[in-house]
Structures are given as structure tokens and as C-alpha cells.
Amino acid sequence: MQKPTPTPMLPAGAGPVLRIDSAQSLIAVTVRRGGMLARLGHDHVVASHTVTGTVSPSRNIADFTFRLDEMKVDEADLRQIAGLDKQPSADAIDGTRYNMLNKVLDAERYPLVRVHAERIAAGQPLQVTITLHGVTRSMAIPVELREAQGVINVKGTVNLKQTDFGLTPFSVMGGAMSVQDQMELRFDLTAR
């Protein structure tokens, strides 16, 4: 049974509200291997295709969420886009997903990632607040934003550190094989 994903709601009086189109939206995170035995591991792409939320064009704000337990690991087309060549085995992907959800993200306790974004001025980076693993961080993120015929699309990338959100990057054998702290988050979100 799939758990429902709450949709953030904007306050009354926010003007016309657009909804994130999950079928046309993607958040993809690339994590790279590290440690002395890195050559024995894999880099990974973890993606959410189930982003939900709202955008208020009149207020220049957006609020959206995605569930960690709905993220997909190492989809072939996303690995190719990220420049990762060798596709891990199904067992390796299952192991990565288990370790990610249970040993790093504690997804049962912290199932949602929440994002609030504000556009202060056209052409300026978005002011974004991300809550992950019970920790909230704010940052300015440059984006490519297009608005046409009642549809808004925003794309961009940002580098984040797991430790900034209280996460301990996965490692085994005393760190000889590990995941690097820095991860690249790529997003392509459409609201209509």
C-alpha cells in the first residue's frame, strides 16, 4: 500500500495557484564513490518522479515535497545523462537503495523532503529552503526559468553536502569504500 504524499498548500489569497506536474518533473541526485577502494564501487543516480506541490506566480513562491521511499536508483537513461557508463546489477541497485533509505536517510523517520522557493527578482537566483532529515538549510540557487501560456518550468543544478543535513555518507571497511559527501542535485520542474 502506497503512503499518501501531502501536497503543500499556499495561504488563502495567494492568487491563482499552479500545481507541480509530477509526470513532467524530475529531481535527480548524483552521488559519487570515494575511498581507497572506490574503483570497486559505483557512482549512483537517485531520482524522484513524484514531486508534488504548488506555485503562486503572483507571490513568486513555490512549495513542494517528494518522498524518499519513492525515489528510484540508477535508471539507465538518468545514468547516461549524468555521464555514468557502467550499469550496476539489479542486486547492487537493491543494496544501494536499502543502504540509502535505512543506513543514511532514515527514511522511515524522515520520509519527506520539503522545499520552499522564492523568486526575489527576475534573473536572480531563487532563494531556496530545503528540509531533509529534520535539518533545514537555505541557499541561493541559479535557475533557468521559463513562463509561457500558464506553464512555468524551472531547471538548475546545485551541489549539496550530506553532512550539512546531518547525514553521514555511507561507507564500509573503515571508509576504504565510501560515498563522497558532496552530491549534485539536478532539477527540472513544471507547474501548470
Side-chain angles (χ1 to χ4, degrees):
M1 185 168 161
Q2 189 172 358
K3 297 176 185 171
T5 301
T7 300
M9 298 304 292
L10 295 170
V17 173
L18 305 177
R19 300 228 175 262
I20 300 288
D21 182 345
S22 293
Q24 298 295 315
S25 297
L26 171 73
I27 293 176
V29 180
T30 302
V31 292
R32 306 236 178 232
R33 59 194 163 182
M36 293 183 326
L37 299 177
R39 69 186 185 287
L40 301 177
H42 299 96
D43 296 329
H44 300 283
V45 177
V46 181
S48 174
H49 301 277
T50 58
V51 181
T52 60
T54 55
V55 177
S56 172
S58 64
R59 297 181 67 210
N60 290 316
I61 62 173
D63 286 287
F64 57 93
T65 63
F66 60 95
R67 290 189 64 86
L68 294 171
D69 58 2
E70 293 176 346
M71 295 185 81
K72 308 292 183 198
V73 176
D74 288 325
E75 295 169 281
D77 58 333
L78 295 179
R79 286 184 62 80
Q80 185 176 18
I81 290 167
L84 307 181
D85 50 3
K86 184 180 172 189
Q87 180 72 21
S89 69
D91 285 345
I93 290 170
D94 289 345
T96 297
R97 188 169 197 286
Y98 176 84
N99 290 333
M100 173 189 78
L101 293 176
N102 298 292
K103 296 184 178 181
V104 178
L105 296 173
D106 191 9
E108 189 170 311
R109 185 171 169 200
Y110 303 103
L112 294 176
V113 177
R114 297 182 189 281
V115 181
H116 174 78
E118 296 185 32
R119 181 168 70 164
I120 305 303
Q124 295 297 311
L126 293 182
Q127 299 302 310
V128 178
T129 302
I130 301 171
T131 302
L132 166 66
H133 197 249
V135 177
T136 301
R137 295 286 179 248
S138 297
M139 62 204 70
I141 302 177
V143 298
E144 175 188 324
L145 190 141
R146 292 189 318 259
E147 296 181 66
Q149 301 173 342
V151 177
I152 296 177
N153 177 262
V154 63
K155 295 179 183 180
T157 59
V158 62
N159 289 323
L160 304 171
K161 289 188 174 181
Q162 296 179 60
T163 52
D164 286 346
F165 293 92
L167 299 170
T168 301
F170 184 74
S171 68
V172 293
M173 297 182 280
M177 240 171 102
S178 62
V179 171
Q180 292 179 15
D181 189 13
Q182 183 169 289
M183 52 189 177
E184 179 188 86
L185 185 143
R186 178 174 62 88
F187 53 92
D188 184 344
L189 303 172
T190 297
R192 57 182 85 242

